Amino acid sequence: MSNELTVKDRAVKVDSEIQFWANQLNTAVYQIGKNLAIMKDEKLYEQLGYETFEDYCFEKYELKHSQAAKYLAVYNKLGETYLAEHSEAGIQKLYMLSQLSEEDRENVEGSPEDLTVNELKAEIERVKQEREGIQMQLFELQEKEKTAEEKMQEEIERKAEEKATEQTVAARKRIDELSQKLEELQKAYDKDRKDHAKLEERNVILGVDKEALETKVAQQEKKIKELESKPQDVATVEPSEEELNARAEKIAEAKIDEIKAIAQTERETAELQIEDLMSRLKEKEAEVENIRAGFDKKLENIMAASENIKAEKAESTQVENVNDEIKMKILITNVVDASNKVIEAAQLTENPDMWIEKLRGVYEKMTEKLKGSAF
């Protein structure tokens, strides 16, 4: 019960405040709005016997719903300081000002208490049109930047694709050349193997003949020893057929050994060449793979930069209700970040100096516009 009395006492007190400030409308708009807000939010009107806040306002003070809403809007949006400075402007003009953003209110020329309602309405319209014009210029500038960035992005992607295609074609051509060389070496190696097989076969045949010759030589040596054991007056003996055959056999053996050595050397050389070519082929395959990986990385960086630019543009559209200084700081920061990303992308191209020069030309044109009347 005591709690109900306390709440009711509060309702009576707030109602008294409203009555007091209602008698001083020229200086009490803030206080009326403040206490109406308390009465409505805490539903204190029920303690005074009213079912709704609208009934309380109309029956108690003949305030229509729209009028009470104006007091609440002025209190909630303009604040105590602003209302203290312009309390003599009247609820209608203050309500009109409460519908503007703080930035637009600051751009209103003239004091609201010195302007008529129609003059204030015209001034508000002028501020809105001016803001819309600035927003339109900002939008057009963003569209121009977007178009330039898209063209540059397309050019970067085209150059990157052309370069990757050229590198891929060159790598494939080199692989084909190495494959052809490897095929030629393989054919030469096969031929050497066949020649070696023929030499081996010949060596087998010569080996059989050699055994027969060695037998004959042994027999001839035995005969020579027998003849030497007998006294003879022969001063010189001409080489026999067997001796000539032995000498020929030794010459043939030396020639065969020489051919074997040459064949072995050629085979080893061919094997080394094949091994070297296989190593080069693997290196070229790794080089091609690195080129492809680099190209994929460049495309990934370009796409990431493009997404960042889009995200930054989306953020820049949220600066409508901030003051000019903050808005310009955000836009300039976006321009600097976008420029840095363009420079990084240009450095990945085949001719970075050309793209940096083009970017410099873009900023020179923007500088000329800033000096002129474009803005």
Coordinates of all heavy atoms in Angstrom, one line a residue, residues 203 205-223 241-250 253:
N203 N 83.2 -61.4 -80.4 CA 84.2 -61.8 -79.5 C 84.1 -63.3 -79.1 O 85.1 -64.0 -79.0 CB 84.1 -61.0 -78.2 CG 84.5 -59.6 -78.4 OD1 85.2 -59.3 -79.3 ND2 84.1 -58.7 -77.5
I205 N 83.0 -65.6 -81.1 CA 83.5 -66.3 -82.3 C 85.0 -66.3 -82.3 O 85.7 -67.3 -82.5 CB 82.9 -65.8 -83.6 CG1 81.4 -66.0 -83.6 CG2 83.6 -66.4 -84.8 CD1 80.7 -65.3 -84.8
L206 N 85.5 -65.1 -82.1 CA 87.0 -64.9 -82.1 C 87.6 -65.7 -81.0 O 88.8 -66.2 -81.1 CB 87.4 -63.4 -82.0 CG 87.0 -62.6 -83.2 CD1 87.3 -61.1 -82.9 CD2 87.9 -63.1 -84.4
G207 N 86.9 -65.8 -79.8 CA 87.4 -66.6 -78.7 C 87.6 -68.1 -79.1 O 88.6 -68.7 -78.7
V208 N 86.6 -68.6 -79.8 CA 86.8 -70.0 -80.3 C 88.0 -70.2 -81.2 O 88.8 -71.1 -81.1 CB 85.5 -70.5 -81.0 CG1 85.6 -71.9 -81.6 CG2 84.3 -70.4 -80.0
D209 N 88.1 -69.2 -82.2 CA 89.2 -69.3 -83.1 C 90.5 -69.1 -82.4 O 91.6 -69.7 -82.8 CB 89.1 -68.2 -84.2 CG 87.9 -68.4 -85.1 OD1 87.4 -69.6 -85.1 OD2 87.4 -67.5 -85.7
K210 N 90.5 -68.3 -81.3 CA 91.7 -68.1 -80.6 C 92.2 -69.3 -79.9 O 93.4 -69.6 -79.9 CB 91.4 -67.0 -79.5 CG 92.7 -66.6 -78.7 CD 92.3 -65.6 -77.7 CE 93.5 -65.2 -76.9 NZ 93.2 -64.2 -75.8
E211 N 91.3 -70.1 -79.4 CA 91.7 -71.4 -78.8 C 92.4 -72.3 -79.8 O 93.4 -73.0 -79.5 CB 90.5 -72.1 -78.1 CG 89.9 -71.3 -77.0 CD 88.6 -72.0 -76.4 OE1 88.2 -73.0 -77.0 OE2 88.1 -71.5 -75.4
A212 N 91.8 -72.4 -81.0 CA 92.4 -73.2 -82.0 C 93.7 -72.7 -82.4 O 94.7 -73.5 -82.6 CB 91.5 -73.3 -83.2
L213 N 93.9 -71.4 -82.5 CA 95.2 -70.8 -82.9 C 96.2 -71.1 -81.8 O 97.4 -71.3 -82.1 CB 95.0 -69.3 -83.1 CG 94.3 -69.0 -84.4 CD1 94.0 -67.5 -84.5 CD2 95.1 -69.4 -85.7
E214 N 95.7 -70.9 -80.5 CA 96.7 -71.2 -79.4 C 97.2 -72.6 -79.4 O 98.3 -72.9 -79.1 CB 96.0 -70.9 -78.1 CG 95.8 -69.4 -77.9 CD 95.0 -69.1 -76.6 OE1 94.5 -70.1 -76.0 OE2 95.0 -67.9 -76.2
T215 N 96.3 -73.5 -79.8 CA 96.7 -75.0 -79.9 C 97.8 -75.1 -80.9 O 98.8 -75.8 -80.8 CB 95.5 -75.8 -80.2 OG1 94.5 -75.7 -79.1 CG2 95.9 -77.3 -80.2
K216 N 97.5 -74.5 -82.1 CA 98.5 -74.6 -83.2 C 99.8 -74.0 -82.8 O 100.9 -74.5 -83.1 CB 97.9 -73.9 -84.4 CG 96.8 -74.7 -85.1 CD 96.3 -73.9 -86.4 CE 95.2 -74.7 -87.0 NZ 94.7 -74.1 -88.3
V217 N 99.7 -72.8 -82.1 CA 100.9 -72.1 -81.7 C 101.7 -73.0 -80.8 O 103.0 -73.1 -80.9 CB 100.6 -70.8 -81.1 CG1 101.8 -70.2 -80.4 CG2 100.1 -69.8 -82.1
A218 N 101.0 -73.7 -79.8 CA 101.7 -74.6 -78.9 C 102.4 -75.7 -79.6 O 103.6 -76.1 -79.3 CB 100.7 -75.1 -77.9
Q219 N 101.7 -76.2 -80.6 CA 102.3 -77.3 -81.4 C 103.6 -76.8 -82.2 O 104.6 -77.5 -82.2 CB 101.3 -77.9 -82.4 CG 100.2 -78.6 -81.7 CD 99.1 -79.0 -82.7 OE1 99.1 -78.7 -83.9 NE2 98.1 -79.8 -82.2
Q220 N 103.5 -75.6 -82.8 CA 104.6 -75.1 -83.5 C 105.8 -74.8 -82.6 O 106.9 -75.0 -82.9 CB 104.2 -73.8 -84.2 CG 103.2 -74.0 -85.4 CD 103.8 -74.8 -86.5 OE1 105.0 -74.8 -86.8 NE2 102.9 -75.7 -87.1
E221 N 105.5 -74.3 -81.4 CA 106.5 -74.0 -80.5 C 107.3 -75.3 -80.0 O 108.5 -75.3 -79.9 CB 106.0 -73.3 -79.2 CG 105.6 -71.8 -79.5 CD 105.0 -71.2 -78.3 OE1 104.7 -71.9 -77.3 OE2 104.8 -69.9 -78.3
K222 N 106.5 -76.3 -79.9 CA 107.1 -77.6 -79.5 C 108.0 -78.1 -80.7 O 109.1 -78.5 -80.4 CB 106.0 -78.6 -79.3 CG 106.5 -80.0 -78.8 CD 105.3 -80.9 -78.6 CE 105.8 -82.3 -78.1 NZ 104.8 -83.3 -77.9
K223 N 107.5 -77.9 -81.9 CA 108.4 -78.3 -83.0 C 109.7 -77.5 -83.1 O 110.7 -78.0 -83.4 CB 107.6 -78.2 -84.3 CG 106.5 -79.2 -84.5 CD 105.8 -79.0 -85.8 CE 104.7 -80.1 -86.0 NZ 104.0 -79.9 -87.3
E241 N 103.8 -69.9 -91.3 CA 102.4 -69.4 -91.4 C 101.8 -69.3 -90.1 O 101.0 -68.4 -89.8 CB 101.7 -70.4 -92.3 CG 100.2 -70.0 -92.5 CD 99.5 -71.1 -93.4 OE1 100.1 -72.0 -93.9 OE2 98.3 -70.9 -93.6
E242 N 102.1 -70.3 -89.2 CA 101.5 -70.2 -87.8 C 101.9 -69.0 -87.1 O 101.1 -68.3 -86.4 CB 102.0 -71.5 -87.0 CG 101.3 -72.8 -87.5 CD 102.0 -73.3 -88.8 OE1 103.0 -72.7 -89.2 OE2 101.5 -74.3 -89.3
E243 N 103.2 -68.6 -87.2 CA 103.7 -67.4 -86.5 C 102.9 -66.1 -87.1 O 102.5 -65.2 -86.3 CB 105.2 -67.2 -86.7 CG 106.0 -68.2 -85.9 CD 107.4 -68.1 -86.2 OE1 107.8 -67.5 -87.3 OE2 108.2 -68.6 -85.4
L244 N 102.8 -66.1 -88.4 CA 102.0 -65.0 -89.0 C 100.6 -64.9 -88.5 O 100.0 -63.9 -88.2 CB 102.1 -65.1 -90.5 CG 103.5 -64.9 -91.2 CD1 103.4 -65.2 -92.6 CD2 104.0 -63.5 -90.9
N245 N 100.0 -66.1 -88.4 CA 98.6 -66.2 -87.9 C 98.5 -65.7 -86.4 O 97.6 -65.1 -86.0 CB 98.1 -67.6 -88.0 CG 97.8 -68.0 -89.4 OD1 97.6 -67.2 -90.2 ND2 97.8 -69.3 -89.7
A246 N 99.6 -66.1 -85.6 CA 99.6 -65.7 -84.2 C 99.7 -64.2 -84.1 O 99.1 -63.5 -83.3 CB 100.8 -66.3 -83.5
R247 N 100.6 -63.6 -84.9 CA 100.7 -62.2 -84.9 C 99.4 -61.5 -85.3 O 99.0 -60.4 -84.8 CB 101.8 -61.7 -85.9 CG 103.2 -62.1 -85.4 CD 104.3 -61.8 -86.4 NE 105.6 -62.3 -86.0 CZ 106.7 -62.1 -86.7 NH1 106.6 -61.5 -87.9 NH2 107.8 -62.6 -86.3
A248 N 98.8 -62.0 -86.4 CA 97.5 -61.5 -86.8 C 96.4 -61.6 -85.7 O 95.6 -60.6 -85.5 CB 97.0 -62.2 -88.1
E249 N 96.5 -62.7 -85.0 CA 95.5 -62.9 -83.9 C 95.7 -61.8 -82.8 O 94.8 -61.3 -82.3 CB 95.6 -64.3 -83.3 CG 94.7 -64.6 -82.2 CD 93.3 -64.5 -82.6 OE1 93.0 -64.6 -83.8 OE2 92.4 -64.2 -81.7
K250 N 97.0 -61.5 -82.5 CA 97.3 -60.5 -81.5 C 96.8 -59.2 -81.9 O 96.2 -58.4 -81.1 CB 98.8 -60.5 -81.2 CG 99.2 -61.7 -80.4 CD 100.7 -61.6 -80.1 CE 101.2 -62.9 -79.3 NZ 102.6 -62.8 -79.0
E253 N 93.1 -59.1 -81.5 CA 92.7 -59.0 -80.2 C 92.8 -57.5 -79.7 O 91.9 -57.0 -79.0 CB 93.5 -59.9 -79.3 CG 93.2 -61.4 -79.4 CD 94.1 -62.3 -78.6 OE1 95.0 -61.7 -77.9 OE2 93.8 -63.5 -78.5

